[in-house]
Amino acid sequence: SKRFRNVKHLMKDRLPGKIYNILVEIGVLADQVGMNAYVVGGFVRDLIMKIENFDIDIVVEGDAVVLAKKFAKLKNAKVSVHYKFKTAVVILPDNFRIDFATARSEYYDFPAAAPKVEDSSIKIDLYRRDFTINTIAIKLNKEDFGALVDYFGAQSDIRDRKIRVLHNLSFVDDPSRIFRAIRFAVRYNFDIGPHTERLLKHAINLKLIDRIVGQRLFLEIKYILCEKEYLKALNMMKNYGILKFFSNSINFSEESLEIFKFLDKLINWYSVQINRNIEIWIPRFNLLFHSLKRGEFIKLLERFEFNSNYKKYFASQVFKSRNAAIRLKKNKNITNSYIYNTLKDLEDEFVLYLSAILGEKFENLIKKYYTYIKEIKLEINGNDLKDLGYKPSEKFKYVLDKLLELKLDGVILNKGDEIKYAKKLFEEIESGRNSGN
Ligand code: ATP
């Protein structure tokens, strides 16, 4: 690897000491078992671009399982092995994970200009990757520690800000790369190279997207929706004619762009105010497929191979959200208890979707729901009702729910009120004036 530059100093500058040391240790162990070890792919790409990425993928010339086990032993870590593919995942005691893979060096079915049999396995392994910017590795063995391995112009394409495939059949071999190309392009603000773009358009014309396995297709759209610049990606997908492979009913127009932007504003507010991580792809996904009717939406989830429980759960949350939006828009007299009852069965991801489709007029309603309505709790519970002499039954739930509604709407204010109204509600039930339904 003498012909390549050494990035040891860049590693030292940019990586946390813990990560740097892990890489050194792997190199030392690789020497001991007479193998070459490299850190590859996204980790190296992002290091060169000075972007934080500590997902370590190790490729080994030799059996990666042997090296992974040795490393796991040294670090007192867990290791889970996939013998068939000769890969392993090492999980350190602090839960940090490191992937080990054996260099894939089969040389058949390569197009012309591909590496030859006598080439190193790392070269052949890198050649199998999706884009040139990902075909870069750093050698870890002691003597060459930090040597960049760059056979296919990764550094120059990173410098030129270009997404390029390695050969003409790349999208045919794996059409999911169509989505990956778009994802990397928007993430790094790179262009898709002109030749690569021609190949990509050709793959789209050949309808190769229809051949992508459902779970893979879902992951690709999910990853895109998790990108900061996902709207750029959706716009590219629209222009390339990709969206129609999900459904013919998608409406991704100028107006819908405004709704997405409003959604992102709400998500922003939510993540600042409410200290909870959400699955950001979910509200974006629901908005993207908002114009699909129930049957079409379910068909899409089936195309994505959602398992039947998740499909049911997801669809029910979506359609509850849509119905709630319609009801809220119609209702002239929206009380706190009405808001609470309408939203309480929805996960936050779906409340955010619902808020986006409700629009700016309802922005304060949603904010009130999270900052005020959801915080209101009764001071009494079932035990207090027992202490009052009532026998536990399903009536307890009715009474407590009813009390909460009264509290939400400001009819009752404190514990004294709660007890007073609890008694009153039980009396109403007993006297049959109220059946409890
Ligand atoms: P991210 O930052 O999104 O995780 P990444 O480059 O680390 O980006 P992964 O999906 O984790 O992406 O993949 C790791 C490496 O495996 C990539 O750098 C790429 O070289 C290779 N790879 C992943 N998917 C493909 C594919 N479909 N075809 C070829 N190579 C792939």
Side-chain angles (χ1 to χ4, degrees):
S1 319
K2 283 197 190 64
R3 59 203 196 89
F4 297 128
R5 89 176 153 114
N6 191 295
V7 290
K8 198 196 290 190
H9 295 292
L10 182 63
M11 292 164 81
K12 208 132 205 157
D13 284 352
R14 304 286 316 175
L15 300 174
K18 178 189 124 182
I19 302 228
Y20 185 86
N21 289 335
I22 285 173
L23 297 176
V24 170
E25 284 171 325
I26 291 173
V28 170
L29 293 180
D31 284 337
Q32 286 174 18
V33 290
M35 301 175 187
N36 291 324
Y38 307 83
V39 57
V40 299
F43 178 92
V44 186
R45 174 196 68 214
D46 289 348
L47 176 74
I48 298 224
M49 285 196 259
K50 301 193 161 69
I51 295 169
E52 215 163 84
N53 178 351
F54 303 138
D55 291 340
I56 303 182
D57 286 306
I58 302 292
V59 166
V60 183
E61 288 176 319
D63 189 344
V65 174
V66 171
L67 185 61
K69 282 186 171 170
K70 219 171 146 65
F71 177 69
K73 199 168 170 196
L74 174 75
K75 306 294 280 186
N76 222 337
K78 278 185 270 183
V79 56
S80 117
V81 173
H82 205 310
Y83 287 100
K84 192 174 158 218
F85 296 116
K86 293 195 174 181
T87 62
V89 183
V90 173
I91 297 165
L92 298 183
D94 64 358
N95 273 335
F96 188 78
R97 50 175 288 159
I98 299 160
D99 286 285
F100 288 77
T102 302
R104 297 181 44 171
S105 55
E106 310 95 284
Y107 55 84
Y108 51 85
D109 81 13
F110 278 116
K116 291 185 277 297
V117 197
E118 61 264 29
D119 280 322
S120 65
S121 12
I122 185 70
K123 182 170 179 186
I124 299 175
D125 181 285
L126 292 174
Y127 185 76
R128 290 185 166 273
R129 288 170 188 263
D130 44 6
F131 308 111
T132 56
I133 59 165
N134 290 330
T135 60
I136 190 162
I138 297 171
K139 197 162 179 189
L140 301 178
N141 297 70
K142 193 158 184 200
E143 199 180 302
D144 294 326
F145 186 84
L148 264 191
V149 175
D150 177 7
Y151 294 106
F152 305 108
Q155 292 172 90
S156 96
D157 283 346
I158 289 171
R159 224 177 295 117
D160 291 353
R161 310 179 76 78
K162 287 283 185 303
I163 307 296
R164 291 202 173 100
V165 290
L166 283 101
H167 59 82
N168 290 346
L169 291 177
S170 190
F171 292 117
V172 179
D173 286 350
D174 181 353
S176 74
R177 293 173 183 164
I178 295 169
F179 295 96
R180 293 178 61 86
I182 292 170
R183 177 153 59 93
F184 288 125
V186 301
R187 183 192 297 171
Y188 299 120
N189 196 18
F190 283 12
D191 286 330
I192 297 175
H195 180 63
T196 295
E197 189 178 40
R198 263 195 306 280
L199 298 171
L200 180 142
K201 286 178 174 167
H202 187 59
I204 295 164
N205 282 335
L206 290 175
K207 302 193 189 321
L208 296 184
I209 291 171
D210 284 336
R211 290 197 211 157
I212 302 173
V213 174
Q215 293 178 8
R216 182 82 245 155
L217 185 64
F218 169 66
L219 277 181
E220 293 302 340
I221 189 72
K222 171 176 162 179
Y223 290 155
I224 282 178
L225 294 173
C226 289
E227 289 289 334
K228 191 159 177 291
E229 296 293 343
Y230 74 105
L231 287 174
K232 271 193 192 167
L234 293 180
N235 202 42
M236 285 173 82
M237 288 167 69
K238 182 189 166 138
N239 293 337
Y240 284 132
I242 292 175
L243 291 178
K244 60 172 177 288
F245 287 94
F246 295 102
S247 162
N248 284 315
S249 310
I250 295 174
N251 164 30
F252 186 68
S253 57
E254 285 298 321
E255 297 112 83
S256 56
L257 207 60
E258 293 309 308
I259 304 175
F260 277 105
K261 286 182 185 154
F262 179 57
L263 169 66
D264 287 339
K265 186 180 148 200
L266 292 168
I267 291 175
N268 230 2
W269 176 86
Y270 176 93
S271 51
V272 172
Q273 289 291 318
I274 319 296
N275 200 14
R276 205 202 124 219
N277 280 332
I278 58 155
E279 302 259 18
I280 201 167
W281 64 272
I282 293 180
R284 292 171 175 172
F285 179 99
N286 293 339
L287 211 49
L288 177 62
F289 300 118
H290 180 64
S291 45
L292 277 64
K293 298 199 180 73
R294 184 180 258 278
E296 295 173 307
F297 192 82
I298 301 226
K299 249 178 66 187
L300 183 72
L301 300 187
E302 283 163 359
R303 169 71 177 100
F304 289 145
E305 294 171 26
F306 278 36
N307 75 42
S308 91
N309 280 336
Y310 192 53
K311 182 180 81 181
K312 271 186 211 140
Y313 156 80
F314 202 95
S316 95
Q317 288 277 309
V318 166
F319 289 96
K320 268 187 201 160
S321 309
R322 290 186 187 181
N323 291 333
I326 293 167
R327 278 184 280 120
L328 283 165
K329 275 187 178 168
K330 274 192 193 147
N331 198 325
K332 294 253 153 43
N333 174 33
I334 301 177
T335 59
N336 287 344
S337 62
Y338 184 83
I339 297 171
Y340 179 79
N341 286 327
T342 308
L343 303 183
K344 72 174 192 294
D345 296 329
L346 293 173
E347 299 284 350
D348 291 352
E349 283 83 353
F350 295 86
V351 173
L352 288 163
Y353 161 57
L354 176 157
S355 315
I357 57 183
L358 278 173
E360 272 156 0
K361 270 195 213 153
F362 290 83
E363 190 173 341
N364 287 331
L365 181 150
I366 295 304
K367 292 183 174 174
K368 179 162 113 185
Y369 174 63
Y370 279 115
T371 55
Y372 176 69
I373 296 177
K374 265 190 115 171
E375 299 301 317
I376 293 181
K377 304 272 185 311
L378 289 177
E379 285 170 67
I380 65 170
N381 58 30
N383 287 328
D384 298 294
L385 299 183
K386 269 200 280 187
D387 291 348
L388 290 174
Y390 299 104
K391 268 227 290 293
S393 72
E394 73 281 5
K395 287 172 195 150
F396 274 32
K397 181 176 168 3
Y398 168 78
V399 168
L400 291 169
D401 285 351
K402 197 78 198 164
L403 286 174
L404 182 60
E405 284 181 18
L406 292 166
K407 191 159 189 182
L408 285 168
D409 293 336
V411 179
I412 58 182
L413 300 171
N414 51 41
K415 190 165 175 179
D417 288 350
E418 288 174 22
I419 290 170
K420 196 174 92 192
Y421 271 80
K423 288 180 182 163
K424 207 168 133 188
L425 286 165
F426 276 114
E427 271 168 36
E428 280 177 14
I429 299 171
E430 303 306 321
S431 69
R433 270 185 290 142
N434 193 325
S435 67
N437 293 319

